[in-house]
Structure formats: C-alpha cells, structure tokens
Amino acid sequence: MSANLSHLDRLEAESLHIFREVAAECRNPVMLYSIGKDSSVMLHLARKAFHPAPPPFPLLHVDTTWKFRDMYAFRNRMAAEAGMELIVHVNQEGVAAGLNPFDHGANYTRVMKTEGLKQALDRHHFDAAFGGARRDEEKSRAKERIFSFRSKSHGWDPRNQRPEIWRLYNTLIHEGESMRVFPLSNWTELDIWTYIERENIPLVPLYFAAERPVVKRDDQWIMVDDERMRLMPGEVPQQRLIRFRTLGCYPLTGAVESTATTLAEVVMETMGATQSERGGRAIDREASASMERKKREGYF
C-alpha cells in the first residue's frame, strides 16, 4: 500500500479488499442493510469495489416494522439506485404474537432482530453476511475479528476465533457454518463522518438537525414518528431542534439537541462529542454484558 495514501484512503482500500475477498471466496454472500450511516458507507464502498457492475450480492434488511418512516423511504430509493436486489425479512412469528417495543423490551429485540436474522440467513442459505459494526462502538464488538465465524446455530464464541495476521483471512467453513464480515471494523465514528463528507454519501435526513416532535422520556428525546407512539400520562409532544447520531427502532432511539444541519457541522459536532455514540439506544442500556450475550445468541 502506498505511503502517500491518507488515513481515509487506507481505510477505504482495506474495505474494498475485504469486499472483493468475500466475493471471490464465498458461495452466497449478502449485505446486512440497517439503513444507518454505517450501512450507507458500506453500500458506497461495495459499489466502488465492483464498479461499473453492481455488487454481486443482495441487500438484506431484517425489518422490525418499527423503523422511522424516513428510513423506509431511503432504503427503497438506495436499493433501486444501486441496482441491487433488496430482501426484506420480517419475523412473522413476532408479528403474530403482537410483540412491540413498548411492552416487550428485550424479548422484542431478541425475536424481531436476532431470531429474524437467523431465519433470513437460513432461508436463503447465505454463508457470509457483511455487517457495519465497528470496533470503537462497544466492547464486545471490539473482540470481533473482521471475518467472524458463527456456528450452525449462528452462535458466536469470542474465545474461538481465527487469527488475522498481515490481513490474511481464512474463509474456510464447514457445511452449515457461516461468517459475519465487518469491512468497517477499523473505522471510528469520526472516520465515518469525514468519509461521508469527502465522498458526499447520501444519508437519511434524520442525521441532520431539524424541528421535530419529541417527548422527554428516561432522559432521552424520543421522536413521535407515527400514530403508534404511546404517550405516557402528562407527556405532550413538543417541537425541538434535534438530530440522531444512531438510528434504530424509533421508540427506542434517543435524539440529541443539535443545530448541525450540514455535513461539515456534523463532523465538527462529532469531534467535540463527550457522550458515547450509542448512548441513545435503549437496548444498549441493559446489563453490561447484554450485547455480548446477544451476539453469542446470533445477534449480528
């Protein structure tokens, strides 16, 4: 790799290599697409890796049915622009059981996300799934290899992962096993934002500050995105200038007050941030080992 490459050039080159390595070595890969900023960077890199052809794998969105309305519109537009097949999977068992983020907490996440992902991977027999996780996000993610192996039941054992020396990746798996592959492992939140600014990558508008209806709940600003939002006694939606650092199911994702309406302003705000990026995710406020436990059970 040339010594003249910038920090972002090196990260980009590593990610492009990972995409091409998987396409060359794996039988049936897929890209997990959660519609957030990391997914947007991953999609941009995948398109770059195989340009002028579209990436040789589909997008998979495991839909909990509780995403922001702006996310659904953006998902459909970007899949069409990329010329990629979009597979949307909903765990119908969870829908039939009436699971929702207000009443069922961690069980809702387990059924609609973890079990939904396992169903989709099994149904389509995917042997490698690209994910947008980064090591700087959360301590269990820091343990992941770039090529992270999963058992036949999609279990993850952090003590039983293959070494990755000199960017050499071992893609051999037994029948029924699979891999999660993380092309953004070595990126930070600030890398993501500066790369989005450099490449002018399209994003869901929710990442930029605007007046939106919110309620204050458990020290978080929760956006009232549709008629399904349940208001607690005494809660009255108010207009606030907010944006999101991370996106998930809207009743479980807190916004931050911000005046950043441009990419340059978001980059500056990120450089001065003192709170963790995922501090607004209610599902991350469970026991300290909850993310690792979910990953061991098959969470992406």
Side-chain angles (χ1 to χ4, degrees):
M1 194 176 292
S2 170
N4 296 323
L5 293 178
S6 69
H7 174 64
L8 288 181
D9 289 336
R10 289 174 180 271
L11 289 173
E12 179 188 70
E14 179 186 65
S15 299
L16 298 185
H17 169 67
I18 292 166
F19 275 114
R20 291 165 181 160
E21 185 77 0
V22 170
E25 297 291 336
C26 296
R27 174 180 46 81
N28 189 23
V30 67
M31 178 188 290
L32 305 180
Y33 187 60
S34 65
I35 322 172
K37 63 184 185 302
D38 301 306
S39 281
S40 293
V41 169
M42 213 168 45
L43 177 57
H44 179 81
L45 290 165
R47 296 176 73 180
K48 236 180 182 183
F50 303 102
H51 180 80
F57 39 77
L59 299 171
L60 170 61
H61 179 216
V62 179
D63 185 3
T64 63
T65 74
W66 283 89
K67 300 301 182 187
F68 292 89
R69 288 176 293 178
D70 278 354
M71 294 176 72
Y72 289 115
F74 185 82
R75 176 196 70 187
N76 298 337
R77 178 168 70 86
M78 292 310 299
E81 287 184 11
M84 298 172 70
E85 177 188 4
L86 172 64
I87 299 170
V88 177
H89 181 83
V90 177
N91 185 348
Q92 295 299 338
E93 295 174 8
V95 173
L99 296 183
N100 65 75
F102 301 106
D103 299 318
H104 303 101
N107 194 43
Y108 156 81
T109 301
R110 181 185 65 79
V111 172
M112 299 306 290
K113 289 190 171 181
T114 304
E115 296 303 319
L117 173 60
K118 291 158 67 174
Q119 287 176 353
L121 295 176
D122 288 341
R123 178 171 299 175
H124 297 278
H125 305 289
F126 293 121
D127 60 344
F130 294 106
R134 309 186 321 267
R135 288 179 173 137
D136 77 321
E137 287 181 275
E138 188 270 338
K139 60 184 180 183
S140 74
R141 297 187 179 197
K143 298 179 183 178
E144 290 269 22
R145 298 288 194 269
I146 292 175
F147 285 65
S148 190
F149 287 82
R150 298 298 194 267
S151 68
K152 293 181 179 179
S153 60
H154 301 283
W156 175 61
D157 182 356
R159 296 169 299 182
N160 186 26
Q161 296 291 309
R162 298 171 180 174
E164 293 177 340
I165 305 171
W166 301 305
R167 302 292 188 271
L168 296 177
Y169 305 116
N170 185 344
T171 60
L172 296 178
I173 56 175
H174 298 294
E175 183 67 28
E177 293 178 337
S178 61
M179 293 185 298
R180 307 289 192 270
V181 182
F182 302 107
L184 305 180
S185 278
N186 293 328
W187 296 56
T188 66
E189 182 188 14
L190 185 58
D191 294 329
I192 291 292
W193 278 115
T194 52
Y195 188 72
I196 288 170
E197 183 183 32
R198 187 182 90 167
E199 302 285 307
N200 196 26
I201 296 173
L203 288 177
V204 179
L206 293 163
Y207 281 114
F208 300 100
E211 292 269 356
R212 297 184 171 99
V214 292
V215 296
K216 193 67 177 269
R217 182 176 296 176
D218 297 329
D219 297 325
Q220 291 188 310
W221 290 111
I222 302 298
M223 182 170 158
V224 181
D225 196 54
D226 62 30
E227 70 285 354
R228 296 177 298 173
M229 178 69 181
R230 293 186 194 171
L231 298 179
M232 306 291 285
E235 285 184 343
V236 178
Q238 53 184 298
Q239 291 293 121
R240 287 274 178 169
L241 191 59
I242 58 146
R243 72 175 191 88
F244 292 84
R245 290 178 67 187
T246 179
L247 292 175
C249 298
Y250 84 79
L252 301 176
T253 306
V256 295
E257 292 189 273
S258 169
T259 58
T261 58
T262 67
L263 281 171
E265 290 170 342
V266 171
V267 169
M268 290 299 295
E269 193 172 272
T270 303
M271 293 175 70
T274 57
Q275 301 295 321
S276 72
E277 176 184 1
R278 293 181 66 90
R281 291 285 193 100
I283 62 171
D284 288 0
R285 293 188 169 192
E286 300 166 9
S288 60
S290 65
M291 180 62 79
E292 180 163 329
R293 176 180 53 76
K294 287 198 284 276
K295 289 170 73 66
R296 286 174 181 266
E297 294 171 350
Y299 188 67
F300 101 102

